[in-house]
Amino acid sequence: KMKPIVQRRRSTSSAITKALGKSKSQSRETTLSSSHSDNGLPSGVFSSPGSTFILDDRVQLTVGLQTQERHLILFSDVLVIAKSKSSSSLKLKKQVHLSEVWTGTCLSEVTEKKMSPDNSFVIGWPITNYVVTFSSADVKERWLSALLEHTNEIKQNDYLKNLTLQIVVLDDDNRSSTTEVKVSNGETAESVMKKALLQLGLPDRISEHHLWVVSGKDEPAYPLI
């Protein structure tokens, strides 16, 4: 039986993607005037040449007990989070490449609030997670479908799809076993744990284990959902 170590609100495949390469996410305080384009979105500020505008909606982003009102803007290569500064302008808060974005249904892992899966899902990137809530179930389904389609396409074309990770397994007495596991940029924490346990000849009891990742020499370990 392995020692259970639990800490929540950390991402899964997004954290593995961070281990695969340097984060491309950006955080800027840029004010965007709605007069720049028909949608109020000067796409050149956000996206690369050849990028296509997909969706734009007002949403609520929740983590823990805190909820923020935001604009979520999806392009074919990036996800943009912006804050309304006035009726005619937005302030850019975060811009994340779609190769680092993941979605999930684990609402209770990210917030203590009672959220409905009908109009909410989990969205994350290294090493941030939110429950994103939309105005209706239809809007939620449209966003979830679009995100899955475009993130999968980006990850299929990502230049670095696979990596060998060193896994250290600790037991109740802090004895350790080490193995190497080949992972892809679409792996989940559960699949990585299954591979490690199989290679070490340990019982496949995933519920008794938790996977943590160290993404750099001076970075602290953080647990994955």
Side-chain angles (χ1 to χ4, degrees):
K1 182 177 179 180
M2 309 314 295
K3 184 178 181 181
I5 26 186
V6 182
Q7 185 175 337
R8 294 182 173 179
R9 303 183 197 99
R10 292 293 184 262
S11 54
T12 305
S13 59
S14 62
I16 293 173
T17 303
K18 183 180 179 183
L20 294 177
K22 185 178 180 181
S23 173
K24 302 173 187 175
S25 59
Q26 301 175 15
S27 180
R28 290 181 290 169
E29 294 290 325
T30 303
T31 300
L32 310 169
S33 171
S34 64
S35 62
H36 285 296
S37 71
D38 293 339
N39 294 313
L41 303 172
S43 60
V45 173
F46 296 133
S47 53
S48 59
S51 177
T52 304
F53 170 76
I54 308 295
L55 290 170
D56 169 33
D57 277 288
R58 292 189 180 191
V59 301
Q60 292 182 329
L61 297 181
T62 301
V63 62
L65 295 173
Q66 296 184 334
T67 297
Q68 302 171 328
E69 300 286 339
R70 292 290 184 264
H71 278 265
L72 210 59
I73 308 161
L74 178 63
F75 293 87
S76 57
D77 58 345
V78 294
L79 178 69
V80 172
I81 296 90
K83 179 181 180 180
S84 293
K85 190 174 181 181
S86 69
S87 60
S88 60
S89 65
L90 300 174
K91 179 180 288 187
L92 179 60
K93 302 297 290 185
K94 197 74 175 178
Q95 180 174 334
V96 190
H97 197 272
L98 289 187
S99 65
E100 298 186 332
V101 174
W102 69 285
T103 61
T105 58
C106 47
L107 305 183
S108 62
E109 294 284 347
V110 179
T111 179
E112 288 80 19
K113 290 185 177 182
K114 295 295 183 182
M115 312 291 287
S116 171
D118 292 340
N119 63 342
S120 302
F121 59 83
V122 173
I123 190 168
W125 55 88
I127 52 175
T128 301
N129 302 318
Y130 290 105
V131 173
V132 54
T133 302
F134 298 87
S135 59
S136 69
D138 288 343
V139 176
K140 171 243 180 175
E141 290 299 328
R142 184 161 65 245
W143 266 90
L144 184 58
S145 176
L147 276 169
L148 289 173
E149 176 186 352
H150 291 285
T151 55
N152 287 337
E153 182 179 350
I154 288 287
K155 288 175 183 179
Q156 286 296 318
N157 296 324
D158 203 7
Y159 75 96
L160 186 56
K161 295 186 179 68
N162 300 284
L163 186 73
T164 300
L165 295 180
Q166 186 177 60
I167 306 293
V168 178
V169 183
L170 299 177
D171 64 17
D172 288 333
D173 298 319
N174 283 328
R175 293 191 299 262
S176 64
S177 304
T178 304
T179 188
E180 290 187 343
V181 175
K182 292 183 178 179
V183 302
S184 73
N185 61 2
E187 296 276 3
T188 65
E190 182 176 287
S191 66
V192 175
M193 286 190 288
K194 283 183 177 180
K195 289 180 179 180
L197 294 173
L198 178 64
Q199 290 179 193
L200 290 170
L202 297 173
D204 184 9
R205 293 195 286 264
I206 301 301
S207 62
E208 298 178 359
H209 300 78
H210 300 276
L211 185 66
W212 294 57
V213 65
V214 180
S215 60
K217 182 179 179 181
D218 298 322
E219 296 291 328
Y222 53 90
L224 308 182
I225 296 173

